[in-house]
Amino acid sequence: MNDPAARLEIVRAAVPVDLDSAVLGESWSNDTWIAGGSVLRVCWRGDRQRLVREGMLLESLPASVPHATVVAAGCTEGLTWMALRRLPGERLDLVWPRLSAQERRDAVVSLAGALKALHRWKLPPGAREQLRQAPLPVPAAPDDVVGAGIMPLPVPRLFALLDWLEKQPAMDRLLADRVRMRVGELGPLVSDGEFEDGVVVHGDAHLANVLWHRGRLVALLDLEWARLGPPDLEYEAISRDDPDVHAQVLSLLLRCPSSSTGSTSPSESGSVTSCFQVRQ
C-alpha cells in the first residue's frame, strides 16, 4: 500500500530526528520528509539498498563534489532510510526561469564542474564493488530491471524490457522494432566493461537534483542511483522533462570547458534517452 504516513510511523522510533512537524515533500522515488533542519528520505520500493550505497558515497565524497551531510541512516522493517542535514537553497529547475542568461551559464558551468569532480573521484577501497550492479535473477521480470537502476543498461538489460513490452497486446510492434534499432546503436559506443570499471556517474543529475542558493551550487542531491559507467550517461537526466529548458542546458553543457561529458553527439544522447523512456 502506498502510504507515506504509515511508513513514517514504522521508522519514526529509529530516526534520531524530531519528526513531529515533518512535512511530506515532492519526490519521485522515495518518501521525502522535511523536518526543521533535517530531511528524512525513506526508500520503500525497488532496490532498497540504494540508500545504503548513497550513504556510503556521501560520507566519502570530497568537497569538490558539493553534497549533503548524513545525520543517520538505517533499515527498519525492510525500509531503508537516511536523515540528512538540510541545506539552504532551491531546486535549480524551479529557480531556472528567474535566472538571467549569464546566471544560467554559471549554473551549468557549476553543474559540469561538480560532475567532472565526481567522475575523477577515486573511490575508497571496497566502495567500487558496492557500485557495481548486482546480477539480475533469471529469468528477470520487468520490475527487477526497473528497480535495479534508473538507466537499464548494459544493453542486455534493456532488451529484457523490450522483450516484455513486445508481448503486451497494446504494443505497436513497428514502434518496438524502431526502438530496438535505436538502442542497438549504443552497442558499438558503450561496452559492457564500462559498467564494471567505469567512473562514478550520478545517474540522475537533472536540474531538480541540483540545489542552488545565492548564485552558487550548494549540493548535488539524490545520489541513490549513482553507479559505475561512462560519463556520457549523465546526458539522459539533463535531457529529461521540459524539452525547452533542457535543450538550453544541454547546449550550454556541450560548450562548457568544465564538462567531462562533452564527447557525446546529439544522436548518441538520443539513443541513451531512449533507454530511459523504455524504462518509463
Side-chain angles (χ1 to χ4, degrees):
M1 182 172 62
N2 187 3
D3 188 343
R7 290 189 287 269
L8 179 64
E9 290 307 311
I10 290 173
V11 304
R12 180 185 291 271
V15 179
V17 168
D18 183 0
L19 298 172
D20 288 344
S21 60
V23 176
L24 186 64
E26 184 178 23
S27 178
W28 293 272
S29 300
N30 309 293
D31 301 333
T32 298
W33 296 90
I34 312 300
S38 302
V39 176
L40 173 67
R41 294 165 61 215
V42 181
C43 183
W44 56 279
R45 58 182 173 176
D47 177 12
R48 301 181 189 183
Q49 291 301 304
R50 62 182 186 265
L51 279 194
V52 176
R53 292 191 293 272
E54 180 178 6
M56 176 271 297
L57 284 176
L58 292 177
E59 291 177 347
S60 305
L61 281 173
S64 57
V65 184
H67 59 280
T69 300
V70 178
V71 175
C75 181
T76 305
E77 296 186 27
L79 301 174
T80 55
W81 55 266
M82 180 166 55
L84 302 164
R85 183 169 294 117
R86 189 178 179 185
L87 295 169
E90 295 181 77
R91 287 172 16 194
L92 185 54
D93 65 321
L94 301 179
V95 176
W96 188 265
R98 307 197 302 266
L99 299 182
S100 67
Q102 182 58 50
E103 288 171 329
R104 290 178 179 182
R105 185 183 187 283
D106 292 343
V108 172
V109 169
S110 297
L111 173 57
L115 291 175
K116 185 174 184 177
L118 177 64
H119 299 162
R120 289 184 169 182
W121 175 49
K122 300 300 182 184
L123 283 160
R128 177 167 289 271
E129 191 61 35
Q130 293 188 51
L131 289 186
R132 289 195 175 101
Q133 290 194 308
L136 294 174
V138 180
D143 285 349
D144 296 324
V145 180
V146 170
I150 205 162
M151 179 64 68
L153 289 172
V155 171
R157 294 192 175 212
L158 187 66
F159 283 161
L161 286 181
L162 283 173
D163 290 343
W164 178 83
L165 282 172
E166 288 174 346
K167 296 175 184 176
Q168 304 312 300
M171 186 63 194
D172 184 327
R173 289 299 302 273
L174 180 59
L175 175 61
D177 289 343
R178 289 173 61 188
V179 172
R180 190 178 289 272
M181 288 180 60
R182 185 70 181 270
V183 170
E185 296 172 2
L186 282 175
L189 304 173
V190 182
S191 69
D192 290 357
E194 290 187 85
F195 296 98
E196 290 291 323
D197 299 305
V199 302
V200 179
V201 294
H202 183 288
D204 198 23
H206 56 81
L207 300 193
N209 281 335
V210 178
L211 194 64
W212 190 256
H213 185 60
R214 295 181 178 177
R216 70 183 184 91
L217 190 156
V218 175
L220 290 179
L221 304 176
D222 295 3
L223 281 93
E224 62 186 296
W225 300 110
R227 59 179 296 177
L228 301 180
D232 293 344
L233 278 190
E234 309 287 21
Y235 276 117
E236 180 282 317
I238 294 168
S239 302
R240 200 187 305 162
D241 302 325
D242 188 319
D244 293 331
V245 171
H246 289 85
Q248 297 172 43
V249 175
L250 189 58
S251 175
L252 287 169
L253 188 62
L254 287 168
R255 299 196 304 267
C256 179
S258 299
S259 176
S260 63
T261 60
S263 62
T264 294
S265 69
S267 175
E268 293 167 27
S269 177
S271 296
V272 172
T273 300
S274 296
C275 299
F276 175 78
Q277 291 170 341
V278 169
R279 177 185 183 272
Q280 291 299 89

